[in-house]
């Protein structure tokens, strides 16, 4: 009975979200509350909800301050010198332009916000693409792959935040083991950009390339930006923050909280400006923090009622014991099509907890399931459920079908490469 109610909860949640009958925040609370009442546990709702919220509170705080920190960095135009330098180094060559697009996309994706990332990338490179006659679907393909890999797997990105919160994980323990496979995947994305650049170079008149190279050579470098001490300070602070994050000298929550305070004081010393910055970027952070808290209620109710255990036992009955060690790999592979068609809310809040509980019966840590689950984010970024994609398609003036026909093969290739790297580096196990 509990297993049936658990699957009913997941089905109701996915239907409400995917059919757009309710927002994710409403659905993630309403669905488990309704089934808990059906199970006769209505009187325990408060305690069960608080038990779940207590487990996700650190993740919610981390997300809040990470979004605020990178918001300050974007306001300070931290990545502008990089984009300008990449354009100068490209010298009008389509191959260099595509590789430069990949490098900037991977860096900007650290922000975690898809819409912001796409706008920065397109504002930097789209005029060059159009000037030289390059296919704008190239920039769209590179940008979506970069966002799916970096933003999809970092603890302050939306997808990983959902996985960490719904499985009650420590952000550092989740993230550090996935860094090697993420770095290798970034190299694959750069390699794909190189191949796409070679294809574009063959179809563009060399006279046009030479003309653009001459225009770029005549541009004056941004000497004012180079003399801006805040630019160097922000770059040093961000590098230091990432080094401390990787070495694990302090919890991520503490690092981002301290980093944000330092960045805010350095970039906006006036009290009135500080308040305005917080208000402006809180508009991006608060909705996701609400979802994290909602996820705590969702998993708290399902766990405390015993629904998750019952669902896991039902799934385990169909899995031979000899294949139980492959559940993380299975999660990564099946997550590719599921992530493409489903919203992140439906997948991470509905499907992943059940897979994690099933894996737990074989002694597999939920961290491996979380890492396997985020690998599908590159395919999610080109799917219809990705909201920022519609912004990107508007910027490059292409429709979804045309973009997917161009990008899908490359994205699938990158996704399977990531799975292979995750297995090779031990981020997910197969034994």
């Amino acid at each position: 009975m509990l297993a049936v109610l658990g699957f009913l909860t997941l089905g109701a949640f996915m239907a409400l979200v995917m059919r757009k009958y309710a927002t994710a925040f409403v659905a993630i609370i309403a669905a488990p509350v309704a089934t808990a009442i059906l199970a006769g546990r209505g009187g325990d709702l408060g305690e069960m909800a608080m038990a779940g919220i207590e487990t996700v509170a650190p993740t919610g705080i981390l997300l809040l301050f990470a979004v605020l920190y990178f918001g300050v960095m974007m306001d300070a135009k931290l990545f502008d010198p990089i984009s300008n330098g990449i354009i100068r180094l490209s010298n009008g060559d389509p191959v260099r332009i595509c590789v430069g697009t990949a490098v900037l996309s991977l860096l900007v994706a650290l922000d975690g916000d898809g819409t912001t990332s796409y706008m920065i990338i397109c504002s930097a490179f789209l005029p060059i693409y159009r000037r030289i006659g390059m296919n704008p679907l190239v920039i769209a393909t590179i940008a979506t792959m970069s966002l799916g890999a970096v933003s999809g797997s970092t603890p302050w990105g939306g997808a990983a935040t959902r996985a960490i919160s719904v499985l009650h994980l420590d952000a550092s323990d989740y993230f550090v083991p996935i860094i090697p496979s993420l770095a290798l995947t970034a190299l694959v994305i750069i390699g794909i950009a190189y191949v796409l650049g070679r294809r574009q170079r063959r179809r563009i008149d060399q006279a046009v390339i030479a003309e653009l190279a001459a225009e770029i050579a005549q541009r004056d470098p941004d000497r004012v930006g180079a003399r801006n001490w805040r630019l160097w300070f922000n770059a040093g602070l961000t590098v230091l923050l990432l080094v401390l994050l990787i070495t694990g000298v302090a919890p991520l929550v503490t690092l981002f909280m301290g980093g944000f305070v330092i960045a805010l004081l350095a970039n906006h010393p006036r009290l009135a400006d500080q308040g305005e910055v917080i208000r402006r970027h809180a508009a991006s952070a608060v909705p996701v923090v609400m979802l994290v808290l909602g996820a705590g209620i969702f998993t708290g109710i399902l766990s405390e009622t015993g629904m998750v255990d019952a669902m896991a036992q039902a799934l385990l009955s169909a899995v031979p014991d000899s294949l139980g060690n492959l559940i993380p790999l299975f999660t990564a592979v099946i997550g590719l099509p599921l992530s493409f068609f489903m919203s992140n809310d439906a997948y991470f809040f509905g499907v992943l907890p059940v897979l994690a509980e099933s894996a737990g019966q074989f002694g597999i840590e939920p961290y491996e399931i979380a890492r396997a689950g985020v690998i599908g984010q590159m395919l999610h970024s080109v799917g219809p459920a990705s909201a920022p994609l519609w912004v990107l398609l508007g910027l490059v003036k292409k429709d979804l079908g045309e973009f997917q026909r161009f990008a899908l093969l490359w994205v699938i290739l990158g996704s399977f490469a990531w799975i292979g790297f995750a297995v090779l580096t031990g981020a997910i196990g197969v034994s």
Side-chain angles (χ1 to χ4, degrees), residues 59-71 74 79 106-114 117 147 150-162 164 171-172 174-176 179 182 238 241-243 245-246 252-253 255-256 284-285 288-289 292:
T59 300
I61 298 171
L62 163 65
L63 178 64
L64 173 63
F65 284 98
V67 171
L68 291 173
Y69 177 84
F70 281 110
M74 292 300 171
F79 297 107
L106 291 165
L107 290 173
V108 172
L110 287 168
D111 174 55
D113 180 72
S117 298
L147 185 79
V150 177
S151 178
S153 61
T154 50
W156 53 89
T161 298
R162 289 170 171 84
I164 291 169
S172 296
Y174 151 80
F175 186 52
V176 173
I179 291 176
L182 179 60
T238 301
L241 188 62
L242 293 176
V243 170
L245 181 153
I246 294 172
L252 287 181
V253 174
L255 291 175
F256 273 107
S284 301
V288 186
V289 174
V292 170

Side-chain angles (χ1 to χ4, degrees), residues 32-52:
V33 166
T35 50
I37 293 173
L38 288 176
R41 298 290 301 275
D44 300 325
L45 280 173
E47 294 180 3
M48 292 188 293
M50 285 306 301

Side-chain angles (χ1 to χ4, degrees), residues 227-295:
R227 290 194 299 266
N228 184 353
W229 69 267
R230 285 193 175 91
L231 176 65
W232 295 102
F233 178 85
N234 290 332
L237 179 62
T238 301
V239 170
L240 176 62
L241 188 62
L242 293 176
V243 170
L244 294 176
L245 181 153
I246 294 172
T247 55
V249 299
L252 287 181
V253 174
T254 306
L255 291 175
F256 273 107
M257 188 180 295
F260 170 66
V261 170
I262 295 171
L264 190 63
L265 289 172
N267 290 275
H268 304 280
R270 294 179 61 237
L271 182 62
D273 293 342
Q274 293 175 9
E276 175 58 29
V277 168
I278 293 173
R279 283 190 293 271
R280 183 169 65 253
H281 293 294
S284 301
V286 168
V288 186
V289 174
M290 289 173 61
L291 271 176
V292 170
L293 297 177

